[in-house]
Amino acid sequence: MDYQSHFESAIEALHAEKRYRVFADLERIVGRFPTAIWRHENEAREITVWCSNDYLGMGQHPDVLQAMTNAATSMGSGAGGTRNISGTNHPLVELERELADLHGKEAALVFTSGFVSNEASISTIAKLLPDCLIFSDELNHASMIEGVRKSGSRKHVFRHNDVQHLEELLKAADPERPKLIVFESVYSMDGDIAPIAEICDLADRYNAMTYIDEVHAVGMYGERGAGICEREGVAHRLDVIEGTLAKAFGVLGGYIAGSRALVDAVRSYAPGFIFTTALPPALAAAAVASIRHLKQSQSERHGQQRQAARAKAEFSAADLPVMPSETHIVPVLVGNAELCKQASDRLLQVHGIYIQPINYPTVPRGTERLRITPTPLHDDALIAVLRDALVETWTALGIPFASTRPTHEERREDVTSLVVAQAGG
Ligand SMILES: *Cc1c(COP(=O)(O)O)cnc(C)c1O
């Protein structure tokens, strides 16, 4: 048995499909966000990052850094164990209180990441309900899909944001069976928003529970940064709100907020919570500082919305194929994995701009894109530089502009001829 050859051929398959991933070696610079140092072939160069999920630049906020260093200096680096074995560090107690208050829920529970919070919570909630049926949006994040799978429950996948389809599925189900609807508020690849109130209406009508992932909305939407549910005044209608501390809050960790009984049950039954070391106190303290700041400050949120709108307008005016987005996310369509990678490489090497290519399976084939995330710290001058760099790159690589995009049929032929060319070459 040649074990290594299996790993090598798995990697080869990704190369053949032009979706082998390479991570840039970056070093962010406090005080100069979104500038970073890029190390490549024994060279270190300053570049501009345009694809960070540190959406508001909170990862370098003085209050956050102060809280983190204070806690590390006084309480040490690690948590010292799982909460089951070693108890809970006090900053984590404060963090869970802060999160419950943020979402207007009785309780909150912190996990080591947003991924773990989804996987552990969805699977545990569904397992605790007898014979639970799960209704899951087709574009849900991988962490939610893992949670659904791990629950072992029967699942129905509804078409993305399609309440009519969801209703058909709910209507067809046994009224006596427990039901759980899992979905996101902001979908991070397209930047669209779920019809949350309508989904809650259906949940009421068919007696289902609701679980929403607000990972790409917390910190950024609502008067206190609690997300889209807060902005739309529907937070009280959701049974579980899940979020991350790693994106707009700029730290690390994930959480759920909900009723006391539900949160206590997940705390008591979820292996992904119980059998892993807790978040270090310094991270919990930093997250508290970030949440508190964003509860009362609007300037980061306003700055982000302003710069995202400006970027969309500037790129559209330059005929770049900006995909429709209702949020701070600015996807620009490439439509081909190889070209997407080449565009990303060219932006970095020629223009000193870092935007990771987004390819299958993160997005469907044929919709490969650059996903641009303007923050309050990407000023007008940086947007103009990016616009010009994108236009140069689109021209140099022959990527279609908005007005020259081929029709769907022509595009299919393109893809076919490309595949044939690759197979031949
Ligand atoms: C990033 C992401 C997660 C996972 O959050 P982490 O804290 O990074 O583990 C969960 N859901 C969605 C929709 C995400 O994009």
Side-chain angles (χ1 to χ4, degrees):
M1 185 72 186
D2 180 1
Y3 290 106
Q4 296 314 312
S5 70
H6 287 274
F7 303 121
E8 285 159 10
S9 63
I11 293 298
E12 257 325 297
L14 295 178
H15 281 295
E17 282 197 53
K18 305 294 173 195
R19 56 187 188 90
Y20 177 75
R21 294 172 195 238
V22 180
F23 303 145
D25 177 352
L26 300 176
E27 180 180 324
R28 305 203 296 165
I29 309 164
V30 168
R32 294 189 51 212
F33 184 93
T35 305
I37 297 164
W38 173 46
R39 290 195 171 76
H40 182 65
E41 292 173 351
N42 296 324
E43 203 195 331
R45 206 176 132 189
E46 279 195 8
I47 52 107
T48 306
V49 177
W50 270 103
C51 56
S52 177
N53 279 342
D54 186 356
Y55 286 125
L56 302 174
M58 292 303 288
Q60 62 162 22
H61 194 283
D63 293 358
V64 176
L65 299 186
Q66 190 69 57
M68 187 180 261
T69 46
N70 283 353
T73 306
S74 60
M75 302 176 207
S77 55
T82 68
R83 290 166 73 174
N84 259 24
I85 286 182
S86 308
T88 302
N89 283 286
H90 185 64
L92 202 41
V93 176
E94 278 189 49
L95 175 58
E96 288 176 343
R97 273 191 207 133
E98 200 63 48
L99 289 165
D101 172 77
L102 178 68
H103 293 290
K105 298 291 181 195
E106 289 173 355
L109 188 69
V110 169
F111 299 79
T112 44
S113 77
F115 189 102
V116 171
S117 70
N118 272 332
E119 188 189 46
S121 303
I122 294 172
S123 60
T124 302
I125 292 165
K127 269 189 187 153
L128 289 174
L129 298 169
D131 212 15
C132 181
L133 271 176
I134 300 182
F135 299 81
S136 175
D137 187 288
E138 68 177 334
L139 292 192
N140 275 344
H141 188 258
S143 57
M144 304 171 81
I145 295 170
E146 284 304 310
V148 172
R149 186 176 301 163
K150 230 177 99 185
S151 74
S153 302
R154 174 102 197 278
K155 69 153 190 246
H156 292 292
V157 175
F158 59 95
R159 286 190 293 273
H160 178 53
N161 282 350
D162 187 337
V163 282
Q164 227 170 336
H165 189 212
L166 174 58
E167 175 152 31
E168 279 167 30
L169 295 170
L170 285 164
K171 198 182 276 178
D174 177 353
E176 297 307 316
R177 255 174 110 165
K179 300 174 186 70
L180 178 67
I181 306 172
V182 295
F183 63 114
E184 302 180 22
S185 60
V186 172
Y187 287 83
S188 75
M189 292 300 146
D190 294 314
D192 57 340
I193 296 176
I196 303 173
E198 292 173 66
I199 291 175
C200 290
D201 291 343
L202 289 180
D204 290 346
R205 194 167 314 145
Y206 295 95
N207 197 18
M209 282 184 62
T210 47
Y211 180 109
I212 193 167
D213 174 317
E214 286 248 50
V215 161
H216 292 278
V218 291
M220 294 174 277
Y221 294 89
E223 188 61 26
R224 300 198 308 159
I228 301 286
C229 289
E230 181 193 21
R231 184 185 81 178
E232 301 187 355
V234 295
H236 62 285
R237 301 188 64 189
L238 280 301
D239 291 295
V240 184
I241 297 178
E242 183 272 348
T244 185
L245 304 167
K247 289 171 184 171
F249 291 127
V251 190
L252 182 74
Y255 64 90
I256 57 166
S259 72
R260 203 176 312 282
L262 180 141
V263 168
D264 203 17
V266 173
R267 183 186 72 89
S268 309
Y269 283 95
F273 171 80
I274 298 169
F275 298 104
T276 191
T277 299
L279 209 63
L283 297 189
V288 168
S290 185
I291 295 163
R292 283 190 185 152
H293 177 83
L294 290 174
K295 267 183 180 170
Q296 42 79 30
S297 171
Q298 305 301 329
S299 66
E300 292 83 4
R301 285 190 274 280
H302 289 167
Q304 182 194 34
Q305 290 299 320
R306 187 180 59 240
Q307 297 315 98
R310 186 179 175 95
K312 286 179 200 171
E314 292 267 331
F315 302 164
S316 297
D319 199 25
L320 289 159
V322 179
M323 300 168 75
S325 156
E326 310 167 61
T327 59
H328 57 279
I329 291 154
V330 184
V332 182
L333 181 65
V334 177
N336 172 289
E338 168 83 54
L339 283 177
C340 200
K341 172 85 173 72
Q342 284 177 17
S344 172
D345 288 348
R346 186 178 183 88
L347 284 166
L348 189 54
Q349 280 152 17
V350 178
H351 300 280
I353 286 171
Y354 179 58
I355 309 173
Q356 183 77 9
I358 305 284
N359 285 344
Y360 177 84
T362 311
V363 295
R365 287 192 172 92
T367 71
E368 292 83 359
R369 67 198 67 176
L370 297 182
R371 174 183 176 273
I372 298 168
T373 53
T375 72
L377 296 158
H378 289 89
D379 63 18
D380 295 356
L382 284 177
I383 291 173
V385 169
L386 174 58
R387 176 202 59 210
D388 293 346
L390 288 170
V391 168
E392 191 280 334
T393 299
W394 252 240
T395 308
L397 299 179
I399 303 170
F401 282 83
S403 60
T404 57
R405 278 213 83 75
T407 63
H408 187 61
E409 284 66 35
E410 286 166 344
R411 195 154 65 240
R412 286 178 73 94
E413 280 166 26
D414 270 7
V415 170
T416 312
S417 59
L418 192 78
V419 170
V420 170
Q422 280 168 6

